[in-house]
Amino acid sequence: PMSKPYDWSIATAQFKPPSISYLPNQTMSDQHLTDFNRWINQTTHLLREQRWHEIDVPTLITEIEDLGKSERRGITSQLTRLLLHLLKWQYQPQRRSDSWLDSITDARTQIDLTIADSPSLQNYPAEQLAESYQRACRQAAQQTKIPLSLFPEVCPYRIDQILAEDWLPEANCAE
């Protein structure tokens, strides 16, 4: 037997934030700067109640845009970390460790989770590969003391290899 669809209006009607009052002499925009969590609770409450005229729309727009930037920045950061550890794995095989494998696995997982949450970012790692690779090379050179000139100028790995959970580069000893 088919169940009835859940009536979300009941759940949202029962939600009441801890407090939706402003601090004395504080606008909603000011509250965004002084207590971000309180501002989020108040804004979501106002949205649920469709009290549009009370919503700090410019700040809400900025925060929504920043969410997208944060997701992209997270992918770029994880891709750089992943490439850094792949380079270290390839160029310092004698120093390979479980912690490097953990970093590689975690970076891949974080990228995968972000893309699962936002499928429109599916191509973003490929778009950021060249820039992330350059950043990873600089970090690898600094951390390993291997001259930057010994790393290929262009990323030698394909994006599908980089993101594949079971792929690691072959050893290429630089020391």
Side-chain angles (χ1 to χ4, degrees):
M2 290 186 56
S3 62
K4 294 186 342 186
Y6 186 76
D7 183 358
W8 286 102
S9 64
I10 294 169
T12 56
Q14 294 172 353
F15 172 80
K16 297 292 181 222
S19 171
I20 62 160
S21 62
Y22 295 114
L23 297 175
N25 301 320
Q26 191 176 43
T27 67
M28 192 166 180
S29 185
D30 291 338
Q31 192 171 40
H32 167 262
L33 298 173
T34 59
D35 188 340
F36 186 66
N37 190 63
R38 184 183 196 127
W39 178 84
I40 289 172
N41 288 336
Q42 183 161 14
T43 300
T44 56
H45 177 75
L46 293 172
L47 287 166
R48 282 186 183 94
E49 293 196 350
Q50 300 179 14
R51 292 165 49 191
W52 314 122
H53 63 284
E54 295 177 51
I55 296 170
D56 180 6
V57 174
T59 303
L60 180 59
I61 290 168
T62 299
E63 289 303 322
I64 291 170
E65 289 172 341
D66 286 349
L67 285 173
K69 289 177 192 173
S70 177
E71 293 289 295
R72 290 188 303 272
R73 201 169 29 251
I75 288 175
T76 302
S77 174
Q78 293 298 335
L79 182 60
T80 301
R81 181 168 71 118
L82 174 54
L83 289 164
L84 166 64
H85 284 88
L86 291 174
L87 287 167
K88 288 165 62 171
W89 187 269
Q90 181 174 4
Y91 285 85
Q92 289 191 313
Q94 70 283 6
R95 295 195 178 166
R96 289 177 179 172
S97 67
D98 286 344
S99 74
W100 286 2
L101 277 178
D102 289 345
S103 289
I104 289 167
T105 300
D106 183 61
R108 286 174 171 156
T109 300
Q110 295 306 315
I111 291 169
D112 188 51
L113 289 171
T114 302
I115 291 171
D117 285 345
S118 300
S120 64
L121 294 174
Q122 181 70 41
N123 296 324
Y124 197 70
E127 294 167 11
Q128 293 302 303
L129 181 57
E131 192 173 317
S132 291
Y133 176 72
Q134 294 305 314
R135 196 173 297 116
C137 284
R138 289 190 299 274
Q139 291 176 14
Q142 184 178 30
Q143 291 181 22
T144 65
K145 306 301 184 226
I146 296 171
L148 184 59
S149 61
L150 291 182
F151 296 107
E153 272 188 51
V154 177
C155 184
Y157 321 130
R158 295 187 325 266
I159 194 68
D160 61 309
Q161 292 174 316
I162 295 165
L163 299 177
E165 76 179 50
D166 59 351
W167 180 84
L168 291 168
E170 295 293 323
N172 181 3
C173 298
E175 292 184 301

